[in-house]
Amino acid sequence: MATTNLSYYDKATIPNAKNFRFGIVVSEWNADITDNLYLGAKQALLENGASESNIIKWDVPGSFELIYGCKKMIETQKLNAIIAIGNVIQGETKHFDFVCDGVTQGIKDLNIKYDVPIIFCVLTDNNKQQSLDRSGGKHGNKGIESAIAAIKMAALREF
Ligand SMILES: Nc1c(NC[C@H](O)[C@H](O)[C@H](O)CO)[nH]c(=O)[nH]c1=O
Ligand SMILES: CC(=O)[C@@H](O)COP(=O)(O)O
């Protein structure tokens, strides 16, 4: 089993985020899951020095819209890193595959095109329980993991 605890990190190894400005784009699909991912990410940013006023949150309808939301945020806001938050759960059809692949490729492309790191905080799960387990459940909160990645990448971007 590849899953590790998504929330554990050594605070002593994390750069201070006090001078960084973060964007968080959150999908409204499966909002009970994405809200917990967002709260985990925001709390981790604040615990590592970020100011509440330096965390900009936008909502989009679904994970596929994370692509445009992140693009627009980069083009209109002065940010050090962005966290893209979504939760895609397998349904009856292949739509899951296309949404997951589309948002993955889209966010990858934005990371190549622009000089603002976008962290992939999209849970792509077989069922709801897997989503619950990874948004504050037995496997931790991927929002926390993503916030730490955002801080580290914002620091790397300063080089
Ligand atoms: N089924 C899920 C979706 N589907 C909606 C798409 O993301 C998109 O909003 C729609 O195709 C219109 O462009 N989105 C999720 O985030 N999670 C799902 O489980
Ligand atoms: C993963 C999704 O996009 C979701 O809408 C799948 O629903 P379904 O495949 O049952 O239509």
Side-chain angles (χ1 to χ4, degrees):
M1 178 174 73
T3 306
T4 59
N5 186 303
L6 300 170
S7 299
Y8 173 77
Y9 67 92
D10 179 357
K11 197 170 187 311
T13 68
I14 311 304
N16 191 303
K18 70 179 187 310
N19 296 320
F20 294 145
R21 196 159 183 264
F22 298 97
I24 307 182
V25 184
V26 184
S27 164
E28 294 167 338
W29 252 85
N30 301 318
D32 56 332
I33 302 297
T34 60
D35 286 349
N36 282 336
L37 294 171
Y38 165 70
L39 291 173
K42 181 179 178 182
Q43 188 58 34
L45 292 175
L46 295 173
E47 283 176 359
N48 287 279
S51 303
E52 185 110 22
S53 60
N54 281 341
I55 300 173
I56 313 305
K57 178 184 185 272
W58 287 1
D59 295 311
V60 294
S63 290
F64 193 81
E65 284 73 40
L66 289 171
I67 303 163
Y68 182 83
C70 290
K71 174 182 178 289
K72 200 67 182 174
M73 197 175 252
I74 290 171
E75 293 176 343
T76 61
Q77 307 293 316
K78 188 169 174 50
L79 300 168
N80 297 93
I82 294 175
I83 303 169
I85 291 178
N87 174 222
V88 193
I89 299 176
Q90 177 66 64
E92 296 176 357
T93 73
K94 289 176 63 69
H95 194 234
F96 170 88
D97 301 324
F98 291 98
V99 171
C100 293
D101 187 54
V103 69
T104 304
Q105 296 308 316
I107 289 176
K108 179 263 292 177
D109 291 345
L110 293 177
N111 272 290
I112 293 169
K113 180 175 181 179
Y114 293 100
D115 186 35
V116 177
I118 303 171
I119 308 306
F120 188 77
C121 185
V122 181
L123 293 178
T124 54
D125 299 321
N126 296 311
N127 54 61
K128 183 84 171 196
Q129 188 57 51
Q130 288 182 346
S131 302
L132 292 168
D133 291 345
R134 291 159 177 78
S135 56
K138 69 179 182 180
H139 294 311
N141 188 323
K142 190 166 184 63
I144 296 171
E145 174 203 31
S146 297
I148 300 308
I151 294 168
K152 290 179 175 179
M153 292 307 290
L156 183 145
R157 182 172 174 268
E158 297 300 296
F159 288 140

